[in-house]
Amino acid sequence: MLDDPDDRHLLETRVASETLCEGSFLKGRRDTVRMPDGSTSTREYIIHPGAVVIIPLLDDGRVLLERQFRYPVGRVMTEFPAGKLEPGEDPLHCAQRELLEETGYTAGQWAHAGALHLAIAYSTEIIHIFFARDLRAGRRHLDADEFLDVCILSDEDFSAACRQGRVTDAKTLSCALWLQNVRSGAWGLDWRPA
């Protein structure tokens, strides 16, 4: 039932569309849609260019995370390294770039785990999930307006931070599920050299 090949009875069709705002990064839209029963409704949503998140695995079994102030929520957040895709950019290239820029690390092996839609009710954002291992430390290349700390946690400390509500970032919590299942062997990864 989860992958019903005939979902036509659930589909909404765009009838009209207008731009509400257009920034350098995000765009706001309002669409009029025809509902499955023939009535119409409106949908307001954000167009996002897409992003990546990286789960960096250190050789000693710990994971690499970041702490940075996130203006919309007004607090310092703990999260896995991540970043937005440039137009036409390959997600793996973006993941490699973001890991180096934000943490200074490069990885000898990468695995694409999957994707997640962060806020399906109001955003087109899709985040590509990558694992990285065989990490080598180097120099960070932060953007001029980027201020963050790199932190290293054991799986136990990371899991406790999630459970205790000290990690509330949705992409990082989703990655915690991936990490738990990969570590247990329940979910396999296709590792490839960098």
Side-chain angles (χ1 to χ4, degrees):
M1 190 65 183
L2 287 178
D3 292 317
D4 190 337
D6 187 10
D7 284 334
R8 287 179 290 187
H9 64 287
L10 301 174
L11 300 182
E12 299 175 7
T13 306
R14 182 173 47 221
V15 176
S17 185
E18 66 178 303
T19 299
L20 298 175
C21 66
E22 190 164 343
S24 61
F25 172 44
L26 300 172
K27 297 175 184 166
R29 313 261 328 174
R30 179 185 296 128
D31 290 357
T32 301
V33 297
R34 180 165 287 106
M35 305 300 286
D37 67 358
S39 63
T40 59
S41 189
T42 59
R43 300 287 182 251
E44 293 180 351
Y45 60 99
I46 301 297
I47 296 176
H48 187 286
V52 299
V53 62
I54 305 105
I55 304 168
L57 307 174
L58 293 165
D59 291 343
D60 65 5
R62 296 180 298 164
V63 293
L64 194 68
L65 293 115
E66 299 173 349
R67 292 185 41 76
Q68 65 180 309
F69 183 78
R70 293 299 194 170
Y71 183 82
V73 294
R75 61 182 275 207
V76 173
M77 302 292 283
T78 301
E79 57 191 289
F80 280 117
K84 73 175 181 71
L85 289 164
E86 297 298 332
E89 186 177 25
D90 174 69
L92 175 59
H93 179 264
C94 181
Q96 292 168 332
R97 175 177 52 79
E98 290 292 340
L99 182 65
L100 176 62
E101 286 179 3
E102 294 183 357
T103 71
Y105 281 83
T106 56
Q109 295 187 348
W110 289 85
H112 182 257
L116 68 102
H117 290 92
L118 194 60
I120 58 176
Y122 61 86
S123 175
T124 64
E125 183 175 8
I126 184 169
I127 300 179
H128 303 274
I129 305 166
F130 288 91
F131 278 74
R133 68 181 182 191
D134 297 335
L135 300 180
R136 292 174 301 281
R139 190 171 63 85
R140 295 191 303 174
H141 304 277
L142 295 174
D143 293 336
D145 63 350
E146 204 167 28
F147 301 89
L148 60 89
D149 290 336
V150 174
C151 60
I152 297 172
L153 295 176
S154 67
D155 284 2
E156 295 78 22
D157 289 341
F158 174 57
S159 180
C162 293
R163 184 178 61 253
Q164 295 163 359
R166 292 183 291 129
V167 173
T168 60
D169 171 57
K171 71 181 177 307
T172 301
L173 291 171
S174 294
C175 288
L177 175 68
W178 270 96
L179 180 62
Q180 179 182 22
N181 281 286
V182 166
R183 294 278 206 212
S184 75
W187 296 356
L189 294 171
D190 182 17
W191 289 100
R192 298 177 184 253

